[in-house]
Amino acid sequence: VRPVSGGDPMSNMSEDEVFAALADRLDVAAAQPLAVAALSSPPLAKRLLAALLDLATGPDKGQQAATAALALAFQVALSQDGTAVARYAAAADDQAPPVGVLLLGFGGASQQALRPHAEFYQRLWPAWRVVATTRAGVVGEHAAAAYAEQRRNVCDALHGCGRLLVHILSNNGHYLWVDLLRSAVGQACFADRLAGLIFDCAAVEMSALA
């Protein structure tokens, strides 16, 4: 059983203890450190979402507790893989690829959901490198540190690419693009290499684009 990290007084509780607090005391605030930890642990995120939905829909939970539980569930569910950054290597990735594609996922996206988009680029331009990630919605000081690391990981994954193409999926992808542009690491990454932007309004089956 792992301890929960975070600045909340309950941050020294184990995961099981926090889940017990959710069930027994209807204390959604107790789950905030867990939500931050879930950014780097999809299995924990799934367990937390199940607990929050049980709290929101169970009998005699009360409107205030249900609303707070649903709000936190929405934050966690915006990215099914938290702050994970996937890198799809180019055919000859030992050399600097001419183009790097950054996929910024829609709300609720997972790496599995973004894989067809990455494979689309790999099939047509095998010499390109593709990087994929999705913006989560968990708020708070400790979440901000996780997002800063996500931005650094994105730029590290694009290191060595000649030009950069950013494929933005829906408004959630656009929010992450804005976050990147507002950060020093993002500005340095894209300043002289940005070749184009694709604003993709919504996710569709890749077969519809064939």
Side-chain angles (χ1 to χ4, degrees):
V1 177
R2 296 177 295 174
V4 178
S5 61
D8 189 274
M10 293 186 172
S11 61
N12 292 324
M13 297 169 61
S14 70
E15 289 177 10
D16 288 338
E17 288 170 335
V18 174
F19 280 113
L22 271 176
D24 296 339
R25 296 168 41 207
L26 310 182
D27 191 348
V28 178
Q32 188 65 35
L34 265 187
V36 175
L39 292 173
S40 58
S41 173
L44 174 58
K46 291 179 181 179
R47 185 183 178 194
L48 178 58
L49 281 172
L52 290 169
L53 292 176
D54 284 345
L55 193 160
T57 59
D60 303 322
K61 299 302 184 182
Q63 182 67 34
Q64 184 174 358
T67 300
L70 288 175
L72 185 56
F74 178 79
Q75 295 175 25
V76 174
L78 276 176
S79 174
Q80 293 188 41
D81 287 302
T83 54
V85 176
R87 170 174 157 168
Y88 298 83
D93 213 36
D94 56 325
Q95 304 175 5
V99 176
V101 179
L102 175 59
L103 292 172
L104 301 178
F106 54 90
S110 63
Q111 290 295 347
Q112 182 178 0
L114 297 178
R115 181 180 295 275
H117 296 77
E119 292 175 345
F120 169 80
Y121 284 104
Q122 288 189 306
R123 185 171 66 253
L124 294 182
W125 298 283
W128 294 10
R129 181 189 300 163
V130 182
V131 175
T133 193
T134 300
R135 183 184 190 272
V138 180
V139 298
E141 175 185 353
H142 295 277
Y147 298 143
E149 182 180 6
Q150 180 184 21
R151 292 190 293 269
R152 288 192 297 270
N153 290 339
V154 164
C155 294
D156 287 347
L158 292 170
H159 179 73
C161 298
R163 303 290 283 170
L164 300 178
L165 175 66
V166 182
H167 187 145
I168 300 167
L169 290 154
S170 198
N171 55 346
N172 196 63
H174 183 68
Y175 290 145
L176 181 49
W177 175 235
V178 171
D179 290 343
L180 282 164
L181 290 182
R182 288 176 173 172
S183 68
V185 67
Q187 291 170 14
C189 179
F190 295 98
D192 299 320
R193 295 189 294 161
L194 183 62
L197 298 172
I198 296 175
F199 291 95
D200 193 340
C201 184
V204 296
E205 292 291 337
M206 292 305 295
S207 60
L209 301 179

